[in-house]
Amino acid sequence: SLQELRCLDLSGRFGYNPYTDDGGHSLLTDTGLTTISNHCPKLQSLTINHQRKCTMSGLRALLQQCPDLVELEASDLRLETHDVAEVLATSHKLLYFLFDSDMQIPDTTIHDKTILQNAVKRTKGRVVLGSMGGLRKIKLSREHQRNQDDSKNKIEEAFQNNFDPKVYNIWDGIV
């Protein structure tokens, strides 16, 4: 039943071209995210990469209704830095948040980097931020860095579980 669903991958099509594509290939919307949040309360992992019709409004509904979410991949959504900070502040079990948008790290302003760093610090280093280019480096205190390292180890273990065809939920036994 949907009530018991733990992992869901609804990635859209890679290859958005801002000059020729209005996001029409993206099938998932905020209404869809709200429906998922209402029917899949035990969701632990959601991948919605390249679903450009989804916004922070849909993510907000998801985060409120799915308190067990530990992994969220939302690359290529139109998220601003303050949206990323809100995701981290809202989800109390999130370990890994992958995002990329129009905001690419080398071009990110010092102000944006400070917002991201402070948002991760408020989670005491629990949340690891990722992008299509890899994990984002955040300066943390020793205690928070230990929490970050612990989260990275859990993420790595879950990633390794991905290759086992007998594994139903990559997060079983980890969180």
Side-chain angles (χ1 to χ4, degrees):
S1 102
L2 290 177
Q3 296 286 321
E4 299 301 317
L5 190 65
R6 300 287 194 278
C7 301
L8 184 59
D9 186 340
L10 296 172
S11 294
R13 189 178 71 198
F14 177 76
Y16 168 77
N17 182 338
Y19 302 107
T20 62
D21 192 347
D22 65 357
H25 67 273
S26 177
L27 300 176
L28 187 62
T29 64
D30 288 341
T31 302
L33 286 179
T34 301
T35 301
I36 290 167
S37 70
N38 289 332
H39 295 283
C40 305
K42 295 182 181 180
L43 204 58
Q44 290 182 303
S45 174
L46 178 65
T47 302
I48 54 171
N49 296 324
H50 315 296
Q51 293 290 0
R52 294 185 62 85
K53 290 182 182 176
C54 294
T55 68
M56 189 59 202
S57 175
L59 286 178
R60 197 174 288 118
L62 186 80
L63 294 168
Q64 291 170 354
Q65 297 297 321
C66 300
D68 295 331
L69 202 63
V70 293
E71 176 186 27
L72 177 58
E73 292 192 17
S75 180
D76 203 26
L77 270 64
R78 294 181 180 128
L79 298 176
E80 301 292 330
T81 307
H82 65 274
D83 295 328
V84 175
E86 182 180 339
V87 167
L88 272 57
T90 305
S91 181
H92 301 291
K93 291 188 179 179
L94 193 67
L95 296 179
Y96 180 62
F97 182 41
L98 180 133
F99 70 96
D100 273 318
S101 59
D102 298 330
M103 175 186 70
Q104 300 299 321
I105 279 299
D107 300 329
T108 303
T109 67
I110 297 294
H111 178 69
D112 288 336
K113 287 181 181 179
T114 301
I115 291 171
L116 291 176
Q117 185 167 356
N118 289 336
V120 172
K121 283 181 179 179
R122 281 192 291 280
T123 72
K124 297 184 174 159
R126 180 192 76 246
V127 179
V128 176
L129 297 179
S131 71
M132 292 309 224
L135 298 180
R136 296 173 190 251
K137 304 244 188 270
I138 304 287
K139 292 181 183 178
L140 298 169
S141 69
R142 283 188 182 170
E143 176 187 345
H144 292 175
Q145 187 60 53
R146 280 192 296 274
N147 292 340
Q148 181 107 141
D149 292 342
D150 183 51
S151 291
K152 285 179 183 178
N153 289 335
K154 290 176 182 176
I155 293 163
E156 180 62 29
E157 188 177 343
F159 178 76
Q160 292 302 320
N161 285 342
N162 235 358
F163 298 105
D164 186 344
K166 297 177 275 182
V167 172
Y168 167 72
N169 177 359
I170 63 171
W171 292 99
D172 271 351
I174 298 173
V175 293

